Amino acid sequence: MISDLSRRSFIQKSVLGFSLPFLYKLPFSLELSKAVPEGFHLTARPWQAIHTTPDELLDIIEGLCTFSIQHQNEEGAIIDPILNREHQYATPYFAHAVGTLVHAGRAQNLLEHGVRAMNRSLHVVEAGNRSIPDQHGEFFIAPLATAISLYEGMVQEETIANWREQLSKPVTHIIESIQKKTNNWRTYAMKGEWIRANHGLISEEDAIQFIEDAWLNRTQRERIGLDKLNLYQDWNGHPQSHAVEAVGRGNLLALIEAGYNGPSAEEIQRFVETGTSYSLLLQDPTGQCPPNGRTDNHVFNDVLYQLIFDVMAERHLRNGDSYKAGMYRHAANMAFNSIMRWHRSDDPWTGSFYITKNYFDPEERIGYQPASQYSNYSGAVMYHLAESYHTRKNQIEEQPTAAEIGGFVLEMDERFGSVVANAGGMQVFANLRGDSVPKYDTFWTPLGVMRFSRPGWDSRLGPSDGARDYLFEEAVSFGPTWSVGTQWVRLAMAGEHYQGTLRVDMEHPLLVRFSILYAPVTGVGGPNFFHEFIVTPDGVLSTVHSPHNFRFGITLPLLEDDGRELDVQVNDRIASTTYPAEISNGDSQHFIAVNMEPVLLEEEESVLSTYGWLRPVRL
């Protein structure tokens, strides 16, 4: 079969038939190769460094700050343009971003706005947690502690002295309590306390006491230390959220990078560096962080990955490993490129970003969770980009990342219940578990394959991110579908009752072969399915087999509208979706049935996902 790859199109072949016997491989062990091994000849795909410069980061930060001043009130607070009130941490994050710009000699016209934001933020900190918007005191500490030093020399000394006094309150005055909010929120406070100590705002002894208590007594050690890959478990859903994972791990890495030297420093460092090395394999080849969980497909998640990778690039360079430093720097630049797809140039939003990875009006809240608002997550982008700017102290020669080379299958801890496979840069991301407990009336993580991606191609064409509404129970993933009476059940709709078991046949940069056995686990019954994948640098061959006497098929999710209408075609044996030529270079995706026997393609009712509207096609 000859596949047309014009316009960088992606070929996904879907087969209903018998799979070959399985071979079990020993568990994956991480080894980042310094080059494609000799003798491997991957499909020709040009590789080049990205060369993101510090000035490019400052340009984006300045655009965000310029957008934000339109929504600053007389007291200095950043008012959310949709909520019409100050929300969470938007104001201190803006204050830090402006401080970064003026400290770098940029945007002096924003200085007054930054000072007003500092005054407002430190006023509510001084008043205590109940005065802080939405009681988000944990998020105020680190950006404000760093920002004070950025404004030194820009404002009067007595103003700096007043700010320092306001930010020297005990941590229990700023956060709700020692006992509450011990998920990823506690890592914000840990990071903040050490930065306060570094700036002489509190004693080092007090900071160490708080951090050690959080690590040893408030579940932080267990959340990352018990995970088999040392990824951070937020324990706020089942399975765990990959999107939120980067928050906790990133804050703990920042704590170590800031020079934390308490008794648990060595252990924290070991866990976060191990987890981050694995996250290189989780990033998709276009720079996106992995899917799943609440805040899935939010733009700021990719900025978190950028910041983490920039920190690791500098750490490896200091340790004399320039090659790994280059891998991390390139991965950081990939993440930056990924967010730029969502940069807005339309009035009145110019300079800001879409909050979730679609082009719908923000008031429609497509893909949003309750905390998702325009001001706070715009603040998250500008603050973490500013942190990335401060981190980049050296020019580092970029190297290809693990996600671009491939040759691995990686299964996450059971609490995450996900697997990533990659051959030559073609990535498949699948869930072995679906959400069994709704969060905000939504099952955020469907069972089945969530993403296909490869370099130089818009991997949102390969989503199956049909998050399931608790009431309507419609969901979509790339996975089996079967008939129960006159009704068809999609795998994504059976997340409470089915689970997947991974088996691996082969791992090689040219070809990866693995299978997932989907089986019911709650006693409700239903067929078993073997879903086999052969992954190559150019495409994926997918075979589904069931040993049971059921009518079954496979669901092909086609993105038809992400706020911009795509061209969806369902013909004899091919189901395709294509962007218009002026969008994403006209990238397209094709599901091609290669069965010998006749097949039937039936279109089903569209489902709203975090990306937009998905049209399920039953093969």
Side-chain angles (χ1 to χ4, degrees):
M1 181 179 190
I2 299 176
S3 301
D4 179 11
L5 288 175
S6 62
R7 291 191 181 277
R8 301 181 296 155
S9 58
F10 166 80
I11 304 301
Q12 166 62 34
K13 308 170 187 175
S14 304
V15 181
L16 302 182
F18 291 95
S19 59
L20 295 177
F22 295 111
L23 299 174
Y24 184 73
K25 188 182 184 301
L26 292 175
F28 173 84
S29 61
L30 180 65
E31 178 60 40
L32 298 179
S33 171
K34 289 194 173 183
V36 177
E38 185 178 356
F40 291 167
H41 301 285
L42 302 183
T43 297
R45 185 172 295 128
W47 184 90
Q48 60 183 15
I50 298 173
H51 300 304
T52 302
T53 67
D55 279 342
E56 288 180 82
L57 301 185
L58 292 176
D59 288 342
I60 299 305
I61 297 167
E62 186 171 346
L64 280 161
C65 291
T66 302
F67 163 78
S68 297
I69 64 174
Q70 303 173 70
H71 306 286
Q72 188 176 32
N73 69 10
E74 292 182 359
E75 294 179 345
I78 302 299
I79 304 302
D80 189 274
I82 297 173
L83 286 180
N84 295 315
R85 69 172 178 85
E86 187 179 10
H87 180 63
Q88 293 185 358
Y89 42 79
T91 305
Y93 280 15
F94 168 81
H96 180 280
V98 172
T100 296
L101 291 170
V102 297
H103 186 76
R106 301 272 295 252
Q108 297 301 310
N109 62 306
L110 296 177
L111 176 58
E112 175 197 353
H113 297 278
V115 171
R116 285 163 52 200
M118 289 290 290
N119 287 333
R120 165 64 183 176
S121 298
L122 287 160
H123 171 74
V124 297
V125 166
E126 185 178 37
N129 180 261
R130 291 187 178 275
S131 298
I132 295 173
D134 303 286
Q135 293 186 271
H136 271 57
E138 289 87 346
F139 298 76
F140 278 56
I141 304 171
L144 291 175
T146 304
I148 291 175
S149 65
L150 296 174
Y151 285 94
E152 288 181 351
M154 304 286 178
V155 299
Q156 294 180 352
E157 291 184 6
E158 60 192 71
T159 299
I160 296 293
N162 185 50
W163 287 349
R164 289 178 60 86
E165 182 179 354
Q166 289 174 305
L167 196 55
S168 298
K169 299 293 184 181
V171 67
T172 50
H173 181 79
I174 302 171
I175 69 174
E176 187 172 2
S177 74
I178 291 294
Q179 291 78 27
K180 295 183 178 180
K181 297 175 181 173
T182 60
N183 63 335
N184 74 85
W185 286 39
R186 187 52 53 96
T187 66
Y188 283 98
M190 295 167 71
K191 167 185 172 181
E193 285 300 272
W194 189 246
I195 292 177
R196 284 211 296 173
N198 283 346
H199 288 83
L201 298 169
I202 61 173
S203 72
E204 187 173 296
E205 180 182 1
D206 285 347
I208 290 176
Q209 181 179 352
F210 176 82
I211 292 166
E212 290 295 318
D213 175 72
W215 182 252
L216 298 173
N217 304 323
R218 311 293 172 190
T219 74
Q220 295 307 308
R221 184 176 187 269
E222 289 77 11
R223 289 174 188 271
I224 191 170
L226 296 182
D227 185 273
K228 77 173 188 178
L229 303 181
N230 293 141
L231 300 179
Y232 186 91
Q233 298 181 7
D234 197 55
W235 299 352
N236 206 357
H238 182 76
Q240 298 295 303
S241 169
H242 274 294
V244 178
E245 185 277 327
V247 175
R249 178 168 50 84
N251 284 333
L252 293 173
L253 178 60
L255 174 67
I256 294 300
E257 180 66 4
Y260 180 63
N261 57 12
S264 298
E266 183 178 345
E267 183 176 54
I268 297 172
Q269 176 180 334
R270 184 171 72 254
F271 288 158
V272 296
E273 290 188 347
T274 298
T276 301
S277 68
Y278 279 108
S279 72
L280 273 177
L281 283 71
L282 302 184
Q283 184 184 40
D284 94 359
T286 72
Q288 292 194 100
C289 74
N292 288 355
R294 63 186 181 89
T295 72
D296 180 17
N297 292 321
H298 283 56
V299 173
F300 85 91
N301 294 331
D302 292 346
V303 181
L304 291 172
Y305 258 52
Q306 175 186 340
L307 173 59
I308 291 169
F309 290 150
D310 269 331
V311 171
M312 289 297 289
E314 297 288 339
R315 292 181 69 81
H316 278 293
L317 189 68
R318 292 199 301 268
N319 293 332
D321 193 336
S322 60
Y323 191 88
K324 284 186 179 178
M327 292 182 70
Y328 280 109
R329 178 53 52 83
H330 185 63
N333 290 344
M334 287 167 57
F336 180 74
N337 272 6
S338 179
I339 73 164
M340 291 307 297
R341 292 176 290 179
W342 314 106
H343 195 220
R344 303 190 67 169
S345 58
D346 55 318
D347 290 332
W349 308 99
T350 302
S352 68
F353 286 78
Y354 287 93
I355 301 305
T356 52
K357 296 177 180 178
N358 58 61
Y359 293 88
F360 293 99
D361 188 309
E363 296 210 31
E364 296 186 46
R365 297 183 60 80
I366 305 300
Y368 284 44
Q369 64 161 342
S372 307
Q373 304 295 341
Y374 215 88
S375 59
N376 65 327
Y377 284 162
S378 294
V381 173
M382 69 177 81
Y383 171 50
H384 295 307
L385 280 179
E387 287 188 298
S388 184
Y389 166 80
H390 292 297
T391 297
R392 292 185 172 216
K393 302 185 186 304
N394 295 282
Q395 290 186 345
I396 299 175
E397 183 180 357
E398 296 174 53
Q399 302 293 342
T401 71
E404 295 171 307
I405 297 172
F408 58 84
V409 179
L410 177 63
E411 182 177 7
M412 268 55 79
D413 189 277
E414 183 179 2
R415 282 181 172 263
F416 282 96
S418 53
V419 59
V420 60
N422 190 309
M426 176 65 76
Q427 185 192 85
V428 178
F429 195 101
N431 291 327
L432 306 178
R433 307 283 185 275
D435 263 340
S436 58
V437 179
K439 184 73 176 177
Y440 310 126
D441 294 326
T442 301
F443 295 98
W444 294 95
T445 303
L447 182 62
V449 175
M450 296 289 289
R451 182 184 287 174
F452 298 99
S453 52
R454 83 171 196 195
W457 177 77
D458 196 324
S459 55
R460 291 176 320 106
L461 282 171
S464 306
D465 199 10
R468 180 157 60 105
D469 185 277
Y470 178 68
L471 296 177
F472 297 102
E473 296 192 350
E474 291 293 325
V476 185
S477 66
F478 179 73
T481 180
W482 62 97
S483 175
V484 178
T486 60
Q487 302 295 317
W488 284 87
V489 178
R490 292 192 290 264
L491 180 69
M493 298 160 58
E496 300 103 310
H497 305 299
Y498 271 73
Q499 290 186 4
T501 301
L502 175 69
R503 284 182 163 178
V504 180
D505 295 327
M506 181 178 181
E507 296 164 287
H508 186 288
L510 278 176
L511 187 146
V512 165
R513 184 169 183 170
F514 70 98
S515 300
I516 300 175
L517 167 63
Y518 295 113
V521 293
T522 61
V524 299
N528 296 338
F529 294 98
F530 294 99
H531 199 170
E532 181 184 82
F533 298 87
I534 298 176
V535 187
T536 76
D538 291 316
V540 181
L541 179 67
S542 161
T543 306
V544 177
H545 164 64
S546 176
H548 299 109
N549 187 23
F550 277 74
R551 290 182 66 210
F552 73 94
I554 193 166
T555 299
L556 316 177
L558 302 179
L559 182 64
E560 64 177 359
D561 190 340
D562 66 355
R564 307 165 306 178
E565 188 175 353
L566 286 78
D567 179 21
V568 173
Q569 300 288 333
V570 180
N571 299 312
D572 181 25
R573 286 177 170 266
I574 303 176
S576 303
T577 183
T578 305
Y579 278 113
E582 65 274 14
I583 298 174
S584 296
N585 298 304
D587 282 356
S588 59
Q589 179 190 39
H590 310 279
F591 293 91
I592 305 173
V594 297
N595 301 59
M596 296 300 294
E597 65 272 20
V599 298
L600 181 66
L601 293 177
E602 295 184 329
E603 298 181 55
E604 300 178 313
E605 187 174 350
S606 298
V607 173
L608 184 60
S609 78
T610 57
Y611 281 130
W613 289 97
L614 296 175
R615 185 184 305 177
V617 176
R618 184 172 63 248
L619 171 63

